[in-house]
Amino acid sequence: MDWTALWLSLRLAAWTVAILLPVSVVMGRFLAYRHFAGKGVVEALVMLPLVLPPTVFGFYMLVAFGRNSPVGAFWQEAFGHQLVFSFEGLVVASVIFNLPFAIQPAQRGFEAIAVEVREAARCCGMSPLASLWRVELPLAWPGLMTAMVLTFAHTLGEFGIVLMVGGSIPGETKTIAIAIYDRVQAFDDRGAAIMSATLVAISLFTIAITFWLSARVGRRLS
Amino acid sequence: MALEVMARAAAPIPLDVAFRVEPGELLALVGHSGSGKTTLLRTVAGLWRPERARVAVDGTIWIDTAAGIDRPTHRRRVGMVFQSYALFPHMTALRNVMAAMDRPDRAEAERLLDLVNLHGLADRKPAQLSGGQQQRVAVARALARRPQALLLDEPFSAVDRATREKLHAEIIALRRHLAMPVVLVTHDMNEAQLLADRMAVIEKGRVVREGTTADVMADPEALRAMGIREAAAMLPATIAEHLPDGLTRLDTATGPLFLPQVEGAVGTRVRVRIMAHEVILSRDRPEGLSAQNILAGRVTAIVPGRGPAVMVHVRVGEQDILARITRRAADRMALRPSEPVHAILKSMSVARDHVAPAPAGALRSA
């Protein structure tokens, strides 16, 4: 059992969720409420990581964040190491790759709030921020919850992009998914089986928590 | 202080309107859907911004496009009741009301819920309340904001007829607590006549007629937009006796009125909406008619319309009732102002929801 790899995966998933939660609130809300020219294009761009082959996505991440890119060069200058093939680089790739999993359900969550309910919040004297906190977030919560669970689970399982952008550096970029692949390559079926089972257990646990929470929300609204 | 509204826009619907509502007064904006009446209400609330607008209340300017002032909705002290109730579904009735308060005050919220007859339902979620109950919460919530102007956007059109009758009666009873200007948007002329002091008929974004409810409801030109068959007058009456045959006898200034069962205790003052096209006129007191209600009165005016009909105003006590008869009939009877005449009304021509409680307190009669 590669505990380092599991811990790395959990950290990566936690960071991705932590960064994408506010992003999905802002973007999901924006896309749910606003109608503007080019909205379809923005929505399509958000969905792109869903249809792109992970290797293609990973390749462009290397191009965009590699040593020769402006971002990569700046990172090297500022932190003394490359952005790609590092944990931070993995977080960046994971955040971008998970955009559709986070923003889509969040957007649906905000879209489910009747426009009159939002207007009523304003008429009740709530500022946009107060309305978000007291009315919109509690109502969009099931969507946001789904977004975060999907992101978490999806990050744990991602393989192609992690391999392309991170390589397989133990303790830095070697996630549990890659560790399992390594075990299989080394004919260590037992190791692969233990790690796979652990991943299944974690996934089941996450889904169970989601179901329990959304049932609670459902009771709260009825 | 009054609510003053001016709004002009070219799109999405043309709008060119100005009106004024005094404190404690209820103005009904009536018109067909698409006439712009809801857009006007949304302009007052700040939920819609026309090209040019000026809204001021209590001397506070909410929007003045000419001066570059535009207060966001949450900084306007406005109470809004939506057609769809628009309660916060995750909050109890009590929390919904408290959500509109600057300093949440549980006791005050409970008092408001009592005021709209929701005692004991404070802890229910909106999903556990009927449509009528939800709308009562919405009214309490709007009042909890301590609004400088109260706006009602088709508030009773989503509830069933029986509930609507009850809500109408409650709003009439609530009026003496409402010191602010009130604007009601509705396409229901009965509702407008029962509730409003003044009416403005909106057509294609313009006010085609504004005046007291009685005047507007008697004006054939004003009613052309909404249908001349809506012409009606409100006759004050007092419940005198519930009869065993299912009729209720009401006393009016010039005689009894027999109507199908009217709810309310003997002695209750009510107003009866009498449709102009249901009234028959006779010079002499007729005998041998099936119609039970014969009110003696005096002709005060004969207003010609565009068609073959005229609107005859008949003074009964201190109020005019209206009779819409053909010009031919008026000529044949040789009706003249100030001459005595009898107004005849079938009991069965008065619908249940055309009888409303008289306004309580020191309010102008509508």
Side-chain angles (χ1 to χ4, degrees):
Chain A
M1 178 69 199
D2 191 339
W3 292 107
T4 315
L6 177 63
W7 176 235
L8 185 90
S9 277
L10 290 175
R11 261 170 51 221
L12 179 62
W15 271 107
T16 308
V17 165
I19 294 171
L20 277 180
L21 180 59
V23 170
S24 65
V25 168
V26 172
M27 283 292 291
R29 195 170 180 240
F30 180 77
L31 289 173
Y33 299 167
R34 297 294 176 84
H35 300 279
F36 53 91
K39 180 174 172 178
V41 176
V42 174
E43 286 178 317
L45 274 177
V46 167
M47 293 302 281
L48 197 58
L50 207 59
V51 290
L52 273 187
T55 43
V56 174
F57 185 83
F59 171 73
Y60 282 115
M61 295 294 292
L62 285 179
V63 171
F65 299 122
R67 207 195 312 244
N68 300 325
S69 72
V71 178
F74 166 79
W75 192 274
Q76 180 87 40
E77 188 73 24
F79 299 101
H81 67 85
Q82 284 198 75
L83 179 56
V84 292
F85 307 117
S86 73
F87 181 72
E88 291 89 339
L90 223 49
V91 171
V92 172
S94 180
V95 163
I96 297 177
F97 187 68
N98 275 298
L99 281 176
F101 296 93
I103 291 178
Q104 264 275 335
Q107 183 182 345
R108 297 289 165 264
F110 284 109
E111 277 170 353
I113 305 173
V115 61
E116 292 84 8
V117 168
R118 289 192 277 123
E119 289 175 345
R122 293 290 201 285
C123 292
C124 284
M126 294 183 204
S127 66
L129 207 62
S131 164
L132 173 68
W133 186 247
R134 295 171 63 189
V135 174
E136 295 163 48
L137 281 182
L139 292 176
W141 184 241
L144 289 168
M145 192 68 209
T146 308
M148 294 308 107
V149 168
L150 282 179
T151 300
F152 190 87
H154 186 242
T155 308
L156 284 188
E158 182 46 38
F159 180 81
I161 291 174
V162 176
L163 204 59
M164 291 285 285
V165 178
S168 177
I169 305 162
E172 185 70 29
T173 62
K174 187 176 180 180
T175 62
I176 184 88
I178 291 174
I180 291 171
Y181 177 73
D182 275 1
R183 293 295 91 212
V184 172
Q185 289 291 298
F187 298 106
D188 177 6
D189 285 354
R190 192 169 170 275
I194 292 172
M195 283 193 258
S196 296
T198 312
L199 219 49
V200 168
I202 292 174
S203 303
L204 279 177
F205 179 69
T206 324
I207 301 271
I209 286 190
T210 325
F211 272 58
W212 180 69
L213 276 176
S214 51
R216 262 180 53 131
V217 169
R219 269 203 308 278
R220 217 154 45 93
L221 295 184
S222 61
Chain B
M1 292 273 278
L3 168 70
E4 296 165 85
V5 179
M6 183 282 284
R8 289 205 187 105
I13 45 168
L15 208 60
D16 186 359
V17 168
F19 61 85
R20 181 187 166 92
V21 194
E22 300 300 328
E25 182 180 62
L26 195 155
L27 173 77
L29 300 177
V30 299
H32 291 295
S33 48
S35 61
K37 55 193 194 303
T38 291
T39 306
L40 270 173
L41 210 62
R42 295 172 59 79
T43 302
V44 177
L47 298 170
W48 171 254
R49 192 176 186 282
E51 287 145 36
R52 293 181 56 199
R54 188 175 187 285
V55 175
V57 65
D58 276 353
T60 314
I61 295 172
W62 281 356
I63 183 170
D64 187 348
T65 48
I69 301 172
D70 185 6
R71 246 178 213 249
T73 298
H74 66 274
R75 296 194 47 234
R76 302 182 185 196
R77 206 156 260 293
V78 62
M80 180 92 162
V81 177
F82 295 83
Q83 179 177 358
S84 57
Y85 323 134
L87 296 179
F88 307 128
H90 57 302
M91 298 183 192
T92 62
L94 188 76
R95 291 276 158 199
N96 263 280
V97 176
M98 285 166 73
M101 296 172 167
D102 291 333
R103 271 180 231 85
D105 176 346
R106 196 189 170 92
E108 170 68 3
E110 280 170 350
R111 191 188 69 81
L112 286 167
L113 285 174
D114 285 352
L115 196 65
V116 295
N117 299 320
L118 280 179
H119 189 75
L121 298 178
D123 294 327
R124 297 261 186 105
K125 295 274 175 65
Q128 299 166 309
L129 296 170
S130 70
Q133 289 167 336
Q134 289 191 53
Q135 201 56 301
R136 289 181 179 99
V137 177
V139 169
R141 182 177 67 177
L143 294 178
R145 178 86 178 114
R146 296 188 172 282
Q148 289 174 296
L150 180 63
L151 311 176
L152 312 170
D153 185 10
E154 301 264 5
F156 312 118
S157 57
V159 298
D160 61 79
R161 194 187 171 114
T163 306
R164 195 178 319 151
E165 269 177 59
K166 283 202 197 92
L167 288 170
H168 285 161
E170 287 179 23
I171 289 290
I172 290 167
L174 202 58
R175 285 290 303 281
R176 70 195 139 95
H177 299 277
L178 305 182
M180 73 296 280
V182 184
V183 185
L184 165 74
V185 159
T186 184
H187 63 266
D188 180 342
M189 297 300 275
N190 181 44
E191 180 168 289
Q193 191 158 22
L194 297 190
L195 301 182
D197 304 312
R198 296 175 66 80
M199 284 172 73
V201 181
I202 314 279
E203 204 185 345
K204 294 187 184 120
R206 288 170 179 274
V207 177
V208 294
R209 177 77 155 83
E210 198 203 330
T212 66
T213 303
D215 286 351
V216 173
M217 293 304 279
D219 181 353
E221 277 300 305
L223 288 172
R224 264 160 33 90
M226 300 306 293
I228 185 69
R229 289 175 71 83
E230 292 288 352
M234 299 297 279
L235 183 69
T238 307
I239 296 178
E241 190 182 3
H242 295 292
L243 299 165
D245 61 357
L247 290 178
T248 298
R249 180 168 63 87
L250 299 108
D251 284 339
T252 72
T254 62
L257 201 56
F258 292 91
L259 297 181
Q261 184 85 56
V262 174
E263 304 240 345
V266 169
T268 307
R269 288 171 54 232
V270 296
R271 293 171 303 150
V272 183
R273 185 172 186 232
I274 294 176
M275 309 301 294
H277 64 260
E278 301 282 7
V279 175
I280 297 170
L281 294 182
S282 169
R283 274 199 168 279
D284 305 314
R285 190 173 187 91
E287 298 288 338
L289 271 186
S290 70
Q292 312 251 1
N293 305 307
I294 300 167
L295 300 173
R298 205 167 275 280
V299 175
T300 49
I302 301 170
V303 182
R306 292 197 188 181
V310 294
M311 192 75 80
V312 182
H313 294 234
V314 178
R315 177 63 50 97
V316 173
E318 289 177 358
Q319 297 279 323
D320 278 2
I321 64 170
L322 302 171
R324 190 159 168 264
I325 62 174
T326 58
R327 196 188 306 265
R328 177 190 293 256
D331 288 346
R332 206 163 48 191
M333 291 166 73
L335 284 181
R336 299 277 179 277
S338 86
E339 287 179 3
V341 72
H342 292 85
I344 300 150
L345 183 71
K346 280 185 64 159
S347 296
M348 292 302 162
S349 69
V350 176
R352 267 183 66 90
D353 58 354
H354 284 197
V355 182
L363 282 162
R364 42 184 89 69
S365 57

